[in-house]
Amino acid sequence: MTRRAFVVWLLGLLAWGAALVVGFLELMERMGRSSRLLDGGARSQAADGARAEQREPRQEAEAVPLFAFMVLSDLHISKHDPGTIRHLKQALTDIEQMDTRVGAIALTGDLTEYGTDEEYGELRKLLAAYKLPPVYANMGNHDYYHVWLDRSGQFNPKTMPHGKTDWQSRERFQQFFGLKKPYHDAWVNGHHLIALSQETYVQERPEVGEGAWYSEEQLRWLEQQLAPHKDGSPVFILTHQPLPPAGQDGKSHQLIPAQRLRAILKPYKNVFVFCGHRHQDFAGKGEHYVKEGFHYFHNSSVGRVLNEKYEHVAKEKAQGMYVEVFADRVRLRGREFASRKWVKEADWTVPFA
């Protein structure tokens, strides 16, 4: 091989080697880019998954109430009316087995038909038979009705009060719930329930009739209980008798110091007041939500649901109200315990002010 031919051969070999190195380097670069793309995609998918995981609990948390409780009114427990016992069993069974959370049960008066030891004993037995959250209550007019019963247990207005007193009725209620006064409050899971209570009846104050008389002591106590809610945090107040129209004080079958109560509530936002006594069917024509300076709800009844003519026609019905508290709103729904269904006519969402 001549010197010239050798030089040409060597230069070709070097060019081929250089091309091989460049090709190898390009291949490695492509593989690196592919690897980075795959790794980046995996990281992106992982990040998306993490974001999805973060979103899911947040969305789920928004759907779960901070606190929820059931309002039951007008149980009227009596062995002489087995329907009242059957309906309370339906309500407690439904509450015990509900998928939604129930952090407390609030009873807004007329727990019994006549306020007798026998009826309270039956109520105790019914409540003890179920796994329930804490139970809070106030008194209704029927819880004072023991004064109408004579020695034979018959309703006898001619010789009322038959040697009995309103004080005895209050004591019976207070002992049942371990209270020093018929009115009281409770903080449950950071949420405030206030149970106002009728303090007397016709044996002590014949002029009250079937109305709810509150003492000045109780009203001053209410002012103290409301003080923590100057920040706008919600508060839930239980009464038994309904309020009369705005601007009036009540009478028989109504909350009597109504103007004083409204004045006490006026400075506060996000006050929810519940009453019973009317027994009106959620599916009927009765007005169940009235918005004043506060939010005012008329509950139905567990023991006897009545129509707009106050007739006990739908004897199979037993109803109550379910209250869910969220960070920015309260949702309130009527519940039919006999069929374990929500009452479509009773569904309100109230945003916080």
Side-chain angles (χ1 to χ4, degrees):
M1 178 183 295
T2 64
R3 183 180 180 85
R4 181 181 179 84
F6 175 75
V7 170
V8 171
W9 174 81
L10 182 59
L11 291 172
L13 180 62
L14 291 172
W16 179 82
L20 183 63
V21 170
V22 170
F24 177 76
L25 291 174
E26 288 180 350
L27 177 62
M28 293 299 293
E29 176 64 19
R30 286 195 299 270
M31 291 177 65
R33 284 198 301 268
S34 299
S35 177
R36 286 193 297 272
L37 287 171
L38 289 171
D39 184 51
R43 284 198 301 270
S44 177
Q45 289 177 357
D48 288 345
R51 283 192 291 270
E53 289 176 1
Q54 290 173 358
R55 280 195 303 268
E56 277 184 14
R58 192 156 55 241
Q59 290 169 353
E60 183 181 349
E62 289 173 356
V64 175
L66 302 173
F67 176 55
F69 63 101
M70 190 70 74
V71 183
L72 305 182
S73 301
D74 300 279
L75 314 180
H76 289 274
I77 292 301
S78 172
K79 285 188 175 181
H80 301 290
D81 184 355
T84 61
I85 295 172
R86 182 179 72 254
H87 288 325
L88 183 56
K89 286 180 178 179
Q90 290 170 333
L92 298 179
T93 299
D94 190 27
I95 292 169
E96 186 181 55
Q97 298 178 3
M98 282 177 70
D99 293 333
T100 52
R101 301 178 181 182
V102 180
I105 296 174
L107 309 178
T108 67
D110 282 5
L111 314 180
T112 62
E113 187 76 342
Y114 292 104
T116 65
D117 286 325
E118 180 187 44
E119 290 169 349
Y120 276 111
E122 186 64 28
L123 178 58
R124 177 176 283 107
K125 184 172 69 174
L126 289 167
L127 294 174
Y130 297 86
K131 187 177 180 181
L132 301 173
V135 178
Y136 307 96
N138 60 11
M139 293 185 76
N141 52 313
H142 271 261
D143 300 314
Y144 282 96
Y145 269 28
H146 196 211
V147 295
W148 295 104
L149 301 182
D150 61 22
R151 292 183 179 180
S152 64
Q154 299 300 309
F155 188 88
N156 188 348
K158 292 182 179 180
T159 53
M160 189 280 291
H162 307 289
K164 302 168 186 175
T165 67
D166 294 345
W167 177 85
Q168 290 171 327
S169 295
R170 284 193 301 275
E171 282 294 300
R172 203 172 288 117
F173 168 83
Q174 289 169 201
Q175 288 176 8
F176 186 90
F177 287 100
L179 302 172
K180 294 181 179 180
K181 300 279 186 179
Y183 52 91
H184 60 110
D185 77 311
W187 287 84
V188 189
N189 297 334
H191 293 81
H192 200 182
L193 301 178
I194 299 176
L196 302 179
S197 206
Q198 176 175 346
E199 292 180 77
T200 190
Y201 189 54
V202 295
Q203 183 269 332
E204 292 173 344
R205 289 179 175 266
E207 70 276 12
V208 307
E210 302 301 317
W213 182 84
Y214 298 167
S215 67
E216 184 60 28
E217 177 186 341
Q218 180 173 185
L219 294 171
R220 287 196 300 268
W221 172 85
L222 174 61
E223 290 177 317
Q224 295 170 357
Q225 302 311 311
L226 287 173
H229 301 282
K230 291 178 180 178
D231 61 357
S233 57
V235 58
F236 305 93
I237 298 176
L238 313 175
T239 71
H240 178 66
Q241 283 89 336
L243 284 161
Q248 300 178 20
D249 273 332
K251 51 187 178 181
S252 186
H253 296 285
Q254 295 175 338
L255 196 156
I256 292 173
Q259 295 190 74
R260 179 89 163 85
L261 179 69
R262 283 182 164 104
I264 293 171
L265 300 182
K266 187 176 180 179
Y268 297 92
K269 300 177 181 179
N270 306 317
V271 175
F272 295 78
V273 179
F274 303 90
C275 76
H277 194 70
R278 298 196 316 170
H279 296 235
Q280 292 286 280
D281 191 336
F282 280 130
K285 298 178 181 178
E287 189 175 36
H288 289 273
Y289 172 37
V290 179
K291 187 178 185 307
E292 298 189 29
F294 50 90
H295 304 284
Y296 184 41
F297 289 88
H298 295 258
N299 200 9
S300 183
S301 167
V302 174
R304 301 185 190 108
V305 175
L306 306 181
N307 63 16
E308 58 269 21
K309 296 180 180 179
Y310 294 94
E311 298 168 330
H312 187 204
V313 177
K315 297 183 184 296
E316 77 284 358
K317 289 189 175 184
Q319 298 177 349
M321 185 175 288
Y322 181 60
V323 183
E324 296 172 292
V325 187
F326 298 88
D328 61 346
R329 68 195 186 279
V330 172
R331 186 181 183 189
L332 310 100
R333 289 186 282 173
R335 183 73 172 177
E336 175 52 65
F337 297 118
S339 62
R340 298 194 185 186
K341 293 181 180 179
W342 301 110
V343 183
K344 62 180 181 179
E345 294 89 346
D347 192 340
W348 306 274
T349 297
V350 180
F352 288 146

